[in-house]
Amino acid sequence: MRDGIPRFVPEDNYGKSFGYQWNLHRLTQLDSYVGLPVSRDRLLRESGWTTDELEGREVLECGSGAGRFTEVLCQTGAAVTSFDISNAVEANATSNGRFAGLRLLQASIYDLPLMDESFDYLVCLGVIQHTPDVERAFKTIFRYLRPGGKFCIDVYAAIVAYPHLRQLLRPVTKRIPPGKLYGVVQSITPRLLPVSTRLSAVPWVGDYLTRLVPVANHRHLGLSDTETVRTWSVLDTFDWLSPQFERPQPRRRLERWCRDLRLSEFEIERIRGLYVVRGTK
Ligand SMILES: C[S@@+](CC[C@H](N)C(=O)[O-])C[C@H]1O[C@@H](n2cnc3c(N)ncnc32)[C@H](O)[C@@H]1O
């Protein structure tokens, strides 16, 4: 236990760059800070759930980062257990610690101090492609969901994430210390972002052309002003270039894992660069 948060992983683990980014950008992606329901809309769109059905339910959130989805989940009145391998849990505690229904842990998906089949809902967004063994991460989290419980997991889609210039840069950038890499990203992003936006406007092939520019571009989110767009862009470009692991997945493999788990129902939908896997255990 440190700063009121139970810790079940060594401080020095592969999630360090995430701890760095989320403590630096503690508020950037929180709906309450942005003033727009970006995270709320994404969570509800991906899961197909309503806020009413979550009220009073036991929800497990895996890999919570700074807590953009923790905030949305807590606002529904759910009892939320949320964990992350990195010290991003500290940022989450500062932002969301006011919710009485929130229990936060610093722990790894692979080794959780939780009871099997003790949750009604399972949420894991933007996480499992960043683990060293994606299949094991995917299959392990279902242990904690009760039979009949609902899940929503999203994963980078291989078809979108692999043909991207960042994949050529990552073998080098992931070895650069976070503080140094962040400085580089901060200085190049404002220059590359307008290039990416211009390319994205090219009819038919705009989406493909933007993959040649290694900068995250959130033009589709309707963020309110240029400064916000730039800040999100710096954060997510760092989030592309710094993680120790990035293992996007093909749809067929996700289908196979779902069949292996004998889920009572599941569906996989591609939403932009993500496969969303949702259903009932
Ligand atoms: C891209 S961030 C997404 C965070 C949050 N879900 C969001 O969408 O804002 C991925 C998160 O997964 C966490 N993570 C990676 N491997 C993990 C593991 N084995 N156990 C728990 N969390 C892990 C990282 O520390 C990081 O905060």
Side-chain angles (χ1 to χ4, degrees):
M1 175 85 79
R2 192 156 42 80
D3 301 331
I5 304 170
R7 318 268 179 161
F8 299 92
V9 283
E11 207 167 317
D12 193 14
N13 63 60
Y14 74 79
K16 253 189 154 172
S17 67
F18 285 113
Y20 177 86
Q21 84 181 40
W22 294 128
N23 280 291
L24 203 59
H25 285 273
R26 175 172 75 80
L27 295 171
T28 301
Q29 296 188 330
L30 261 60
D31 284 354
S32 56
Y33 178 76
V34 181
L36 291 169
V38 178
S39 301
R40 185 180 192 276
D41 289 353
R42 176 170 151 195
L43 175 68
L44 299 181
R45 162 76 179 85
E46 289 193 11
S47 65
W49 305 334
T50 63
T51 50
D52 285 351
E53 73 177 275
L54 290 166
E55 189 179 354
R57 297 307 186 123
E58 288 287 341
V59 178
L60 178 62
E61 184 195 19
C62 311
S64 45
R68 59 186 291 196
F69 299 113
T70 315
E71 179 181 66
V72 178
L73 292 166
C74 288
Q75 282 167 343
T76 66
V80 181
T81 297
S82 195
F83 69 90
D84 198 284
I85 196 171
S86 75
N87 68 357
V89 287
E90 291 161 21
N92 198 347
T94 306
S95 299
N96 293 316
R98 67 182 187 285
F99 291 107
L102 175 62
R103 176 167 61 147
L104 271 171
L105 322 168
Q106 186 175 356
S108 171
I109 276 180
Y110 298 118
D111 191 14
L112 289 172
L114 300 170
M115 270 178 36
D116 286 359
E117 302 188 352
S118 53
F119 292 90
D120 304 309
Y121 286 80
L122 172 68
V123 183
C124 184
L125 304 184
V127 177
I128 64 162
Q129 66 269 357
H130 295 305
T131 62
D133 181 342
V134 182
E135 178 172 4
R136 191 155 77 87
F138 185 88
K139 290 183 174 173
T140 302
I141 50 182
F142 281 90
R143 273 180 55 181
Y144 304 98
L145 187 63
R146 68 166 170 77
K150 294 185 177 178
F151 60 87
C152 176
I153 301 166
D154 73 22
V155 192
Y156 283 174
I159 194 171
V160 179
Y162 277 128
H164 195 289
L165 184 64
R166 74 172 186 274
Q167 304 300 354
L168 296 180
L169 305 175
R170 280 189 30 78
V172 175
T173 55
K174 71 180 188 180
R175 291 186 168 81
I176 301 174
K180 212 165 165 188
L181 178 63
Y182 189 81
V184 176
V185 169
Q186 211 176 13
S187 82
I188 60 163
T189 299
R191 278 175 259 174
L192 291 181
L193 197 50
V195 180
S196 162
T197 301
R198 251 176 271 135
L199 288 177
S200 74
V202 177
W204 305 107
V205 290
D207 272 356
Y208 298 97
L209 293 177
T210 57
R211 297 180 198 174
L212 300 170
V213 186
V215 74
N217 191 333
H218 294 292
R219 63 199 177 281
H220 61 284
L221 288 181
L223 296 168
S224 50
D225 59 280
T226 329
E227 192 46 44
T228 306
V229 172
R230 194 175 296 162
T231 308
W232 277 57
S233 185
V234 169
L235 166 59
D236 278 342
T237 301
F238 180 83
D239 183 281
W240 277 354
L241 298 176
S242 59
Q244 293 310 295
F245 305 104
E246 188 197 304
R247 298 187 166 150
Q249 298 297 318
R251 182 192 285 262
R252 285 239 170 104
R253 194 175 296 156
L254 295 167
E255 279 168 358
R256 178 162 52 78
W257 294 347
C258 288
R259 281 196 303 272
D260 291 348
L261 285 161
R262 299 179 191 284
L263 300 167
S264 63
E265 54 174 10
F266 72 88
E267 62 179 339
I268 301 178
E269 182 189 8
R270 179 149 81 79
I271 303 181
R272 302 183 67 86
L274 299 171
Y275 283 129
V276 179
V277 188
R278 61 178 166 249
T280 308
K281 183 175 171 183

